[in-house]
Amino acid sequence: MGKTKELSQDLRVRIVDLHKAGMGYKKISKVLDVKVTTIGAIIRKFKEYNMTINRPRPGAPKKISPRGVAMMLRTVRNRPATTRQELANDLKAAGTTVCKETIGNTLRNNGFTSCSARKVPLLKGAHVEARLKYANDHLKDEPSYWEKVLWSDETKIELFGLNSTRHVWRKKNAAYDPKNTVPTVKHGGGSIMFWGCFSAKGTGLLHRITGKMDGAMYRTILRDNLLPSARDLKMGRGWVFQHDNDPKHTAKATKDWLKKNHIKVMEWPSQSPDLNPIENLWRELKVRVAKRQPTNLRDLERICKEEWAKIPPGVCAKLVVNYNKRLTAVLANKGFATKY
């Protein structure tokens, strides 16, 4: 089959012009006496040429220059609490005017998310150094060491504590259906302070603190609850007692009592609740108590003690076995507060 004659440039231009004018392939073929398949091939080449040579830029141009974005990112890295309005003001001073929504979108596109700042204990330089020393001193301790520790702490449990933020599934107009509401009273309906302890083997005794605790009351709590808990949990010889550096705990009379009863005390860095796994058990207890919905303080005390005793030993063991992860997190965060 012989090679077909190539169309002239003038004819190609006329085909494209008729196509732009809205004429269909068949009508162009009839007017110019050119095959429909040839018309289609020429128009396809025209479109491909336009897409590669004269392709429009997708989307609107960026309102913030790369230099402006770099300035924003540097600012939020150094000062995470900087507001969108403050960033907008900085850009305006540099000659770029944008709205707060654009600021937020740009930060999100660069991996930043607006979140509530976590509340953590105030850590001064001495606290940070003590936390780092504690983590370095114990980082290589075997799990068997932590199994010999009896952890302790105090906590406050409110009658309507966690219930006040409960989520429910409901229809649009059923917000005030009694099943979808949480009854509240002023000041949380009252609260109870507890002292408790636990080890890798399970929970110890939970004691209600009545009135304001002083050193003498604390020593009574230790006598009536710490020693029985150590026996019940079969801590054996060489177990270590952990408590924080509250003045009642570090008072001379308390130290003398602990020494008299041959109780070894772990050296503890101040302002370090994230290093005490009992904090996780307090959370577990509060969730369990909230599900049972106590209605008065007497019920609250009874339910707290019941639920504390029901916490499985496996939960306690897991907190202790993974303790080295807390130390690693402290070192990774250079002594500052961690997610624990």
Side-chain angles (χ1 to χ4, degrees), residues 17-218:
D17 289 342
L18 291 174
H19 171 68
K20 287 181 178 179
M23 190 176 292
Y25 288 10
K26 287 184 179 181
K27 196 167 184 180
I28 296 173
S29 174
K30 188 176 181 180
V31 170
L32 299 178
D33 194 24
V34 179
K35 291 182 180 180
V36 173
T37 53
T38 304
I39 299 292
I42 291 172
I43 292 174
R44 280 195 299 274
K45 286 184 179 179
F46 163 76
K47 289 180 177 179
E48 289 172 1
Y49 178 83
N50 263 8
M51 288 178 66
T52 56
I53 303 301
N54 299 315
R55 180 185 296 173
R57 184 171 60 182
K62 299 290 185 183
K63 292 186 176 180
I64 307 176
S65 67
R67 187 173 182 179
V69 172
M71 182 186 74
M72 287 172 49
L73 300 181
R74 185 168 57 250
T75 299
V76 296
R77 286 192 192 102
N78 295 333
R79 293 185 288 115
T82 304
T83 65
R84 291 182 302 169
Q85 186 59 58
E86 289 171 340
L87 291 172
N89 292 341
D90 290 344
L91 287 173
K92 188 174 182 179
T96 302
T97 302
V98 292
C99 62
K100 292 188 292 185
E101 287 70 21
T102 300
I103 298 286
N105 291 336
T106 302
L107 291 175
R108 280 189 289 273
N109 290 338
N110 283 275
F112 287 88
T113 305
S114 178
C115 306
S116 297
R118 301 294 174 89
K119 295 181 179 179
V120 298
L122 174 64
L123 293 175
K124 298 181 180 179
H127 298 141
V128 173
E129 289 180 11
R131 285 165 59 84
L132 288 172
K133 182 179 184 302
Y134 175 86
N136 281 309
D137 288 348
H138 292 285
L139 186 62
K140 295 183 179 179
D141 288 343
E142 297 293 330
S144 57
Y145 172 81
W146 301 112
E147 291 172 0
K148 302 292 289 183
V149 177
L150 194 56
W151 309 88
S152 74
D153 195 19
E154 299 87 28
T155 192
K156 179 174 74 171
I157 300 183
E158 294 183 345
L159 184 58
F160 297 112
L162 293 182
N163 278 336
S164 62
T165 56
R166 177 178 296 178
H167 289 76
V168 296
W169 293 101
R170 62 173 176 80
K171 295 276 181 86
K172 184 176 181 180
N173 297 319
Y176 290 94
D177 185 310
K179 293 181 294 185
N180 300 330
T181 61
V182 175
T184 61
V185 294
K186 289 184 178 180
H187 312 299
S191 62
I192 298 177
M193 286 291 297
F194 287 100
W195 176 93
C197 64
F198 92 101
S199 78
K201 297 180 179 179
T203 55
L205 294 175
L206 186 69
H207 175 79
R208 178 178 180 174
I209 300 171
T210 304
K212 186 176 181 180
M213 184 169 68
D214 56 14
M217 182 188 293
Y218 182 64

Side-chain angles (χ1 to χ4, degrees), residues 297-321:
L297 293 181
R298 182 178 297 177
D299 274 352
L300 178 62
E301 180 181 2
R302 174 180 58 81
I303 291 172
C304 283
K305 290 183 176 180
E306 290 175 358
E307 293 300 327
W308 180 253
K310 288 180 184 178
I311 294 177
V315 173
C316 302
K318 187 175 181 181
L319 288 172
V320 175
V321 167

Side-chain angles (χ1 to χ4, degrees), residues 158-283:
E158 294 183 345
L159 184 58
F160 297 112
L162 293 182
N163 278 336
S164 62
T165 56
R166 177 178 296 178
H167 289 76
V168 296
W169 293 101
R170 62 173 176 80
K171 295 276 181 86
K172 184 176 181 180
N173 297 319
Y176 290 94
D177 185 310
K179 293 181 294 185
N180 300 330
T181 61
V182 175
T184 61
V185 294
K186 289 184 178 180
H187 312 299
S191 62
I192 298 177
M193 286 291 297
F194 287 100
W195 176 93
C197 64
F198 92 101
S199 78
K201 297 180 179 179
T203 55
L205 294 175
L206 186 69
H207 175 79
R208 178 178 180 174
I209 300 171
T210 304
K212 186 176 181 180
M213 184 169 68
D214 56 14
M217 182 188 293
Y218 182 64
R219 291 187 289 277
T220 300
I221 291 173
L222 296 183
R223 182 196 66 198
D224 296 342
N225 297 274
L226 176 63
L227 296 177
S229 294
R231 288 193 295 269
D232 293 343
L233 293 171
K234 297 180 174 57
M235 297 300 292
R237 292 186 177 183
W239 62 277
V240 181
F241 176 52
Q242 180 279 331
H243 62 176
D244 60 28
N245 295 327
D246 184 282
K248 296 180 287 293
H249 303 174
T250 57
K252 184 177 184 302
T254 301
K255 289 182 177 180
D256 291 343
W257 184 91
L258 291 166
K259 185 176 181 180
K260 180 181 177 182
N261 285 275
H262 309 288
I263 297 173
K264 184 180 178 180
V265 179
M266 178 184 289
E267 187 174 347
W268 190 252
S270 298
Q271 298 289 81
S272 299
D274 56 336
L275 287 173
N276 191 348
I278 201 172
E279 297 294 340
N280 302 80
L281 279 193
W282 289 141
R283 173 67 184 180

